[in-house]
Amino acid sequence: MADRQDEMRKLAAGLLERGEVSAVIGYGPGSRPDRTTPLVVTTPAQCAELVWNEHCTNNLAVYLTRAEVQQHAKVALIGKGCDVKSLAGLIQEGQVERDRVVVIGMACDGMAGSMAPLCRHCDVHTPPFHDHLVGVATAANGDPAAFEKEEIARIEALTPAERWAEWQAEFARCIRCYACRQACPLCYCKTCIVEKNQPQWIPTSAHDLGNFAWNIMRALHLAGRCVGCGACDRACPQGIRLSLLNRKLAETVAAQFNYRPGYDAAAKPAMRIFDPKDSDELFR
Amino acid sequence: MTTVISRADLVKLADALLAQGTSVIAPSLVRGRVEYARLASGSALAPDSEYIAPALSLKEFLFPRTEPILRYAYGPGGKVTTSSPDPAAEPPQVVLGARPCDAASLPILDKIFSWDYVDQFYFKRRERTTVVSIACAAAGPNCYCTSVGYGPDSTSGSDVLLRRRDDGRYNVETLTAKGAALVRAHSALFAEESSAGTVKIAALPASFPLGKIKPWLDGEFQGKLWDGLAAKCLGCGTCAFVCPTCHCFDIVDEGDLAGGCRRKNWDACAFCQFTRHGSGHNPRSRQDERYRQRVMHKFKYYVEKFGTASCVGCGRCTVLCPVDMNLKGVLETIAKEGTA
């Protein structure tokens, strides 16, 4: 990892020196040895503060739709494969222009801590697209569909009443902090549906109804768009297993429309395009 | 003579209180981490040597995440009946094993909830809550209670303070009449020891001088510090919601054709719409303005209004922040930039 850190710093400093970008979005040291923190650097000297290690878990693509970042003509993004997949979504949906982001792709063999289980099933140890690539991935590609497969099967085998009780217990923990939404690169709406009050489509109260409505509605809004980066799951201060919802919907879209988002920024998103050849199974 | 209680008897105390119909709130292992939870039995009380502090604060037991404050129903002939839930009808509460930082948050919250209006919902619960704290034998990497006027065995906000001895039992310091009443009511579970034994209290040097913070804030509303700091803040409500002293709330009405409910819900100044006016104008339209407000509120405005900072140094905001916004680090930076 250390040699990748040096190469990443040199690349970033070079881009800033040559004026190819005016900001680099990367990671800096965190408040503890087992954390990093997002860091935006704007001078070559500041690149010495950038770090690359097994705690670089944040999805930095989330900052690309921020007004403060978009004021730059061009920025560089330190991107793991999962983060670059969400960038593909942002490009597909017209939120970020491809030629305004220099992607410093980081070959990534997997992160530590709570992200590790997700990383074991990763198939983008080498980011799917990039302008520069730092390092060579050594971890073998896994199958993202296998992540949480057993847990999803366990829940699907429950009776409706048991399933209701399971999710009620899960969502009772939700404190409506919206860390899930704020950490997600694809939740970029300037006014979220939960912030609309004429009418109040989704109750803001942290009771059963409000929490079910919020979590399910967010998952549905991401169906066919979520790339499974896990940022929401990691951001949740209450450990709510959002990945289960997102994974289930991702598999449903894959089965119905033969589409998995994030690999190709030029692909037509399944939930936005009508194709007469689409399966009718959903409507039966 | 020192009053002592063993861990086993602490568990028995929890069970005795539960048997009386008292709600016992204690650190408990929930889905792999220690949280303050309402115990179903004393055996669920987590041993205090196994955690630094529970994940969230105590405030939800006095100031719930969502709370109905008024219910209304439409009756025949257009008659509307209203009712207001009465916290005095709820069971009394005993917190068994608060950390001193969490106990210290209560006197801080008392000030805002009795400032221009005495919040009956908060205070009726507060009156019916007894707080038994356990001093910290160890500090976590994000803790800074000693920098904001508290400490691992601070007594602020506690009715009883327990300190763990090297023999595993706790020395019991009764601090208030409420605390004395609790100990008296269960005196069989407490013993008297001639020696105070050896007590381990965490060693946590202060990270910054609190006295330097407000003077710097007084002059630096337009300072450059805020831009860089807030660049990474996601604008979620995690810090406000896990904080023991954050207290902002939103009032919402949820109704249908039969009637409805007015609720008081947690709110956060980090949310982009927090200060949005009905006109559409938003005086804090940028995240750096909102993060500045968080620090100003806690270390300047609250001090000016109530004589105390609105922070107990628990570090939860940093521990649970998705992007590791480091409030202790911000305060250390401010203290270094401050004037002598």
Side-chain angles (χ1 to χ4, degrees), chain A residues 30-32 35-38 40 58 62-63 66 68 170 172-179 182-183 190-191 195 203-207 235 237-241, chain B residues 30-31 33 35 56 65-66 141-142 230-238 241-242 250 252 254 263 265-266 271-273 287 318-324 326:
Chain A
S31 65
R32 309 192 306 249
R35 291 197 78 172
T36 60
T37 192
V40 179
N58 290 107
V62 72
Y63 295 106
R66 295 265 289 244
E68 303 89 332
E170 197 77 25
R173 295 172 62 75
C174 181
I175 57 177
R176 308 299 291 279
C177 64
Y178 305 112
Q182 297 303 111
K190 290 285 177 282
T191 307
E195 290 168 331
T204 57
S205 304
H207 45 37
Q238 290 287 75
I240 295 168
R241 296 171 302 156
Chain B
V30 177
R31 283 163 59 133
R33 73 174 187 185
E35 304 180 346
L56 263 53
R65 300 169 191 174
T66 177
N142 296 102
K232 64 191 191 190
C233 171
L234 293 179
C236 70
T238 296
F241 289 179
V242 306
D250 185 27
V252 301
E254 294 175 353
R263 288 179 165 271
N265 295 335
W266 286 0
F271 290 148
C272 62
Q273 299 211 350
Q287 201 62 45
T318 304
V319 172
L320 290 169
C321 173
V323 294
D324 198 51
N326 183 1

Side-chain angles (χ1 to χ4, degrees), chain A residues 57-59 113-118 147-148 151 167 170-171 177-185 215 218 222 226 228-247, chain B residues 31 33 238 320 322:
Chain A
T57 52
N58 290 107
N59 185 335
S114 63
M115 195 168 176
L118 176 66
F147 179 58
E148 300 281 30
E151 188 59 7
W167 287 110
E170 197 77 25
F171 296 142
C177 64
Y178 305 112
C180 50
R181 176 188 74 190
Q182 297 303 111
C184 175
N215 286 288
R218 199 182 88 87
L222 284 164
C226 167
C229 74
C232 53
D233 212 77
R234 291 190 296 281
C236 178
Q238 290 287 75
I240 295 168
R241 296 171 302 156
L242 299 167
S243 50
L244 293 176
L245 288 174
N246 293 125
R247 265 267 54 86
Chain B
R31 283 163 59 133
R33 73 174 187 185
T238 296
L320 290 169

Side-chain angles (χ1 to χ4, degrees), chain A:
Chain A
M1 284 282 207
D3 49 342
R4 292 182 194 174
Q5 178 176 279
D6 284 338
E7 196 187 326
M8 175 194 75
R9 285 175 177 171
K10 284 202 188 84
L11 251 172
L15 288 166
L16 286 165
E17 259 156 36
R18 294 188 299 275
E20 286 178 42
V21 301
S22 48
V24 177
I25 306 170
Y27 304 91
S31 65
R32 309 192 306 249
D34 64 336
R35 291 197 78 172
T36 60
T37 192
L39 182 63
V40 179
V41 299
T42 52
T43 70
Q46 283 178 322
C47 292
E49 296 167 35
L50 292 169
V51 300
W52 176 252
N53 58 47
E54 55 181 3
H55 305 297
C56 291
T57 52
N58 290 107
N59 185 335
L60 300 176
V62 72
Y63 295 106
L64 293 173
T65 49
R66 295 265 289 244
E68 303 89 332
V69 169
Q70 296 210 323
Q71 72 185 359
H72 293 276
K74 205 160 180 176
V75 301
L77 176 78
I78 307 291
K80 310 189 290 294
C82 42
D83 311 332
V84 173
K85 279 173 68 180
S86 41
L87 172 58
L90 288 170
I91 293 165
Q92 276 176 312
E93 296 179 5
Q95 299 305 309
V96 173
E97 292 165 58
R98 174 68 184 95
D99 56 11
R100 287 183 61 193
V101 183
V102 174
V103 180
I104 301 179
M106 301 301 294
C108 173
D109 296 313
M111 290 291 141
S114 63
M115 195 168 176
L118 176 66
C119 297
R120 279 196 271 282
H121 301 283
C122 171
D123 65 350
V124 288
H125 293 293
T126 303
F129 60 94
H130 44 77
D131 296 298
H132 304 273
L133 180 62
V134 175
V136 176
T138 57
N141 277 344
D143 176 12
F147 179 58
E148 300 281 30
K149 199 170 183 170
E150 277 148 29
E151 188 59 7
I152 290 174
R154 178 188 71 77
I155 293 174
E156 296 203 290
L158 298 174
T159 65
E162 286 168 337
R163 247 191 256 189
W164 180 259
E166 172 124 7
W167 287 110
Q168 196 270 337
E170 197 77 25
F171 296 142
R173 295 172 62 75
C174 181
I175 57 177
R176 308 299 291 279
C177 64
Y178 305 112
C180 50
R181 176 188 74 190
Q182 297 303 111
C184 175
L186 291 170
C187 278
Y188 52 71
C189 289
K190 290 285 177 282
T191 307
C192 176
I193 188 166
V194 74
E195 290 168 331
K196 300 193 186 214
N197 63 6
Q198 294 185 29
Q200 188 76 48
W201 297 108
I202 300 177
T204 57
S205 304
H207 45 37
D208 280 358
L209 173 61
N211 292 355
F212 263 92
W214 165 248
N215 286 288
I216 290 174
M217 188 49 62
R218 199 182 88 87
L220 284 172
H221 280 192
L222 284 164
R225 305 169 62 231
C226 167
V227 299
C229 74
C232 53
D233 212 77
R234 291 190 296 281
C236 178
Q238 290 287 75
I240 295 168
R241 296 171 302 156
L242 299 167
S243 50
L244 293 176
L245 288 174
N246 293 125
R247 265 267 54 86
K248 172 63 190 168
L249 287 169
E251 290 316 305
T252 305
V253 170
Q256 295 292 333
F257 300 100
N258 193 27
Y259 174 74
R260 287 183 188 280
Y263 297 93
D264 177 5
K268 304 250 183 279
M271 302 313 289
R272 295 210 163 184
I273 301 296
F274 172 68
D275 185 332
K277 294 201 272 333
D278 281 340
S279 150
D280 287 341
E281 225 184 282
L282 280 177
F283 300 104
R284 277 209 232 117

Side-chain angles (χ1 to χ4, degrees), chain B residues 90-205:
Chain B
E90 294 168 15
Q93 311 185 121
V94 171
V95 181
L96 209 56
R99 281 305 191 198
C101 50
D102 292 317
S105 71
L106 302 185
I108 294 175
L109 287 173
D110 287 348
K111 295 180 200 298
I112 192 76
F113 283 122
S114 61
W115 163 44
D116 54 347
Y117 176 77
V118 177
D119 188 317
Q120 293 299 320
F121 300 98
Y122 174 83
F123 279 104
K124 282 190 182 174
R125 273 192 205 97
R126 181 90 162 91
E127 282 155 22
R128 303 164 70 64
T129 304
T130 307
V131 179
V132 177
S133 301
I134 299 180
C136 302
N142 296 102
C143 291
Y144 61 98
C145 60
T146 49
S147 304
V148 288
Y150 302 102
D153 66 341
S154 163
T155 57
S156 179
S158 298
D159 296 298
V160 180
L161 178 62
L162 306 180
R163 293 180 177 82
R164 184 154 39 91
R165 304 158 61 107
D166 54 0
D167 63 15
R169 295 181 296 169
Y170 300 91
N171 288 346
V172 180
E173 185 184 353
T174 302
L175 298 158
T176 63
K178 232 191 225 173
L182 178 70
V183 173
R184 220 172 18 245
H186 302 271
S187 53
L189 296 172
F190 295 85
E192 290 300 313
E193 236 345 295
S194 49
S195 131
T198 312
V199 166
K200 172 125 202 322
I201 301 293
L204 183 63

